[in-house]
Amino acid sequence: MTRKKEQVRVLSQEQLAAGIFSMWIATEAAGEARPGQFISMYTNDGTKLLPRPISICEIDREAGALRVVYRVTGRNTGTEQFSQMKAGDALPIVGPLGNGFPLERAAGKRAFLMGGGIGVPPILELAKELDCGKKQIIAGYRDSQTFLREEFEENGELYISTEDGSAGVKGNVLDAVREYGLEADIIYACGPTPMLRAIKAYAQEHDIECYISLEERMACGIGACLGCVCQTKEKDAHSNVNNKRICKDGPVFLATEVEI
């Protein structure tokens, strides 16, 4: 389905941690959005033509609202402008975009829901909607600023790792798995490429079904520009080569289908 640009209204905005902001917006996209999808957010600055892809953190379908949690990446960036917006402000978005996590695959299974860095926010709606045998949320942070911690604790068994050891287990999400002796039948993960590469290897070693949400710089967000491709085993029908468009065919993939 072709998504059209929609002018939306900011409902609220708050800072969760250093450089991390949370924004609720009123949007028709909430009716169709699924865990693992994203929206493309445009600034109101005409000099910035390309949108910023932001993962969906929470979905309130009854209220017609979406929550995005994002990191401000620097001065004069779209994210800096987003962080300055207040309730009542308007901005254009396109969404929901991409393919989300296959929730039905977890039925009756022990699941790992793994997020690292800015890959932590999309795990929240996944945790809220996933119906599985055992829900184990493993969140990796830089330091003790463990944003969304309370929300995660309300929606599953939470295990935390931090790079500096200031909270939870010192190290990464797989260090937490080993420290607590956790086991799973299926994995859902979102985060930086080195983390996903390690999780893919762990899943293959233990013969675990694994789905990963890839992070990539996206331009158009709809698969037209081929600016965010990844190598895959199968040929892409759009380009007839062994790649997939992360924004259109993903961002969620079965780990064994993609090379990272």
Side-chain angles (χ1 to χ4, degrees), residues 199-243:
I199 290 172
K200 175 182 177 179
Y202 173 87
Q204 289 179 310
E205 179 184 350
H206 293 83
D207 195 25
I208 302 173
E209 186 176 359
C210 179
Y211 295 89
I212 55 178
S213 178
L214 301 184
E215 292 186 351
E216 183 56 76
R217 293 185 180 276
M218 300 177 189
C220 70
I222 58 174
C225 71
L226 300 181
C228 62
V229 298
C230 62
Q231 290 187 322
T232 60
K233 290 184 177 180
E234 298 179 356
K235 288 188 182 295
D236 175 34
H238 181 73
S239 59
N240 200 35
V241 294
N242 289 84
N243 65 29

Side-chain angles (χ1 to χ4, degrees), residues 167-180:
V169 174
K170 183 175 183 179
N172 56 39
V173 290
L174 287 176
D175 291 320
V177 168
R178 299 183 185 100
E179 176 70 20
Y180 293 110

Side-chain angles (χ1 to χ4, degrees), residues 1-7 93-95:
M1 180 183 296
T2 300
R3 307 296 183 183
K4 295 181 179 180
K5 188 181 293 187
E6 173 194 2
Q7 195 78 4
I93 73 161
V94 176

Side-chain angles (χ1 to χ4, degrees), residues 120-134:
V120 167
I123 298 300
L124 180 54
E125 186 63 30
L126 174 64
K128 292 175 66 175
E129 296 196 28
L130 195 67
D131 184 8
C132 60
K134 186 175 184 180

Side-chain angles (χ1 to χ4, degrees), residues 4-230:
K4 295 181 179 180
K5 188 181 293 187
E6 173 194 2
Q7 195 78 4
V8 304
R9 178 169 53 89
V10 176
L11 298 175
S12 66
Q13 171 111 264
E14 65 175 318
Q15 186 168 358
L16 303 182
I20 304 292
F21 289 80
S22 168
M23 179 191 292
W24 277 98
I25 59 173
T27 169
E28 295 177 359
E32 299 178 49
R34 295 294 179 267
Q37 290 187 299
F38 66 96
I39 59 175
S40 285
M41 296 172 57
Y42 292 79
T43 70
N44 291 311
D45 180 355
T47 65
K48 295 179 174 62
L49 299 179
L50 295 177
R52 297 299 301 263
I54 308 289
S55 296
I56 295 170
C57 175
E58 281 192 88
I59 305 168
D60 188 335
R61 297 184 180 90
E62 291 187 4
L66 292 178
R67 183 187 190 188
V68 292
V69 172
Y70 60 94
R71 175 178 288 128
V72 174
T73 53
R75 290 181 59 83
N76 300 317
T77 66
T79 50
E80 182 188 45
Q81 293 184 348
F82 298 149
S83 71
Q84 296 169 356
M85 302 188 80
K86 304 290 191 297
D89 288 347
L91 78 159
I93 73 161
V94 176
L97 299 171
N99 295 306
F101 292 104
L103 306 185
E104 70 284 353
R105 299 295 301 172
K109 299 178 182 177
R110 299 169 299 174
F112 284 166
L113 287 63
M114 311 176 87
I118 206 59
V120 167
I123 298 300
L124 180 54
E125 186 63 30
L126 174 64
K128 292 175 66 175
E129 296 196 28
L130 195 67
D131 184 8
C132 60
K134 186 175 184 180
K135 192 182 303 178
Q136 302 164 97
I137 305 166
I138 308 156
Y141 298 91
R142 292 177 176 176
D143 49 39
S144 60
Q145 298 191 73
T146 53
F147 55 93
L148 301 177
R149 180 172 186 161
E150 292 182 2
E151 291 96 323
F152 281 130
E153 289 174 338
E154 294 172 356
N155 290 283
E157 300 176 8
L158 177 63
Y159 303 90
I160 287 175
S161 67
T162 52
E163 294 178 12
D164 63 3
S166 56
V169 174
K170 183 175 183 179
N172 56 39
V173 290
L174 287 176
D175 291 320
V177 168
R178 299 183 185 100
E179 176 70 20
Y180 293 110
L182 306 178
E183 296 181 344
D185 308 304
I186 189 169
I187 297 173
Y188 299 95
C190 182
T193 299
M195 170 189 141
L196 297 180
R197 187 178 297 119
I199 290 172
K200 175 182 177 179
Y202 173 87
Q204 289 179 310
E205 179 184 350
H206 293 83
D207 195 25
I208 302 173
E209 186 176 359
C210 179
Y211 295 89
I212 55 178
S213 178
L214 301 184
E215 292 186 351
E216 183 56 76
R217 293 185 180 276
M218 300 177 189
C220 70
I222 58 174
C225 71
L226 300 181
C228 62
V229 298
C230 62

